[in-house]
Amino acid sequence: MTNKCTKYQGLFIFADEKTFLSHVDSCDECKAEHEKMERVSALIQEVKPLYRQNKSRTKALKAACVMFALFVFGVSFTALDSKFSIMDTLKYGQAVSLEDMGFPVDSYGLLMVE
């Protein structure tokens, strides 16, 4: 029964590159582990641009959704605000003011409170 080498992780983290690579060259178990790590690293490097591109698309989509929501709410509130004057114009031929309804108003057409 042979002992498995457990130095790979410690050397990878704490040793300088020269010491680490010299151990990897001399130890078959660490060499196999290092080859696995290199393959994983290559896969990560291959996927990185796609991940960044997808992330920027997500940000652009979120910004477009927010702008669309602001546009819809702005148009909705404007339509709701002007709804009453539109209905008055349709019913009476002109917008009904407070003065037409018999309320006391000042020179600006605002309701006057005594």
Side-chain angles (χ1 to χ4, degrees):
M1 183 173 187
T2 61
N3 292 336
K4 186 175 179 179
C5 181
T6 58
K7 293 181 181 179
Y8 182 81
Q9 185 177 6
L11 290 173
F12 183 78
I13 295 171
F14 298 113
D16 61 346
E17 189 172 351
K18 183 179 177 184
T19 307
F20 172 70
L21 291 177
S22 67
H23 176 74
V24 167
D25 288 337
S26 64
C27 179
D28 292 334
E29 291 175 3
C30 291
K31 184 182 282 188
E33 184 71 23
H34 188 64
E35 287 173 359
K36 286 180 190 176
M37 292 292 282
E38 290 295 322
R39 284 186 294 214
V40 169
S41 178
L43 288 174
I44 290 172
Q45 293 300 322
E46 183 179 335
V47 174
K48 189 189 291 186
L50 298 174
Y51 177 75
R52 286 186 178 158
Q53 184 181 19
N54 191 17
K55 197 173 184 180
S56 66
R57 284 183 184 167
T58 303
K59 286 181 183 179
L61 181 63
K62 286 180 183 179
C65 288
V66 167
M67 290 176 65
F68 178 72
L70 289 174
F71 174 75
V72 168
F73 288 130
V75 169
S76 301
F77 289 132
T78 304
L80 288 175
D81 185 40
S82 64
K83 176 182 170 186
F84 298 111
S85 62
I86 291 172
M87 293 303 294
D88 289 341
T89 304
L90 291 175
K91 286 182 184 177
Y92 307 111
Q94 65 181 9
V96 178
S97 65
L98 291 173
E99 188 176 15
D100 295 338
M101 296 172 137
F103 291 107
V105 294
D106 59 5
S107 62
Y108 297 106
L110 300 173
L111 186 62
M112 193 164 57
V113 180
E114 295 177 13

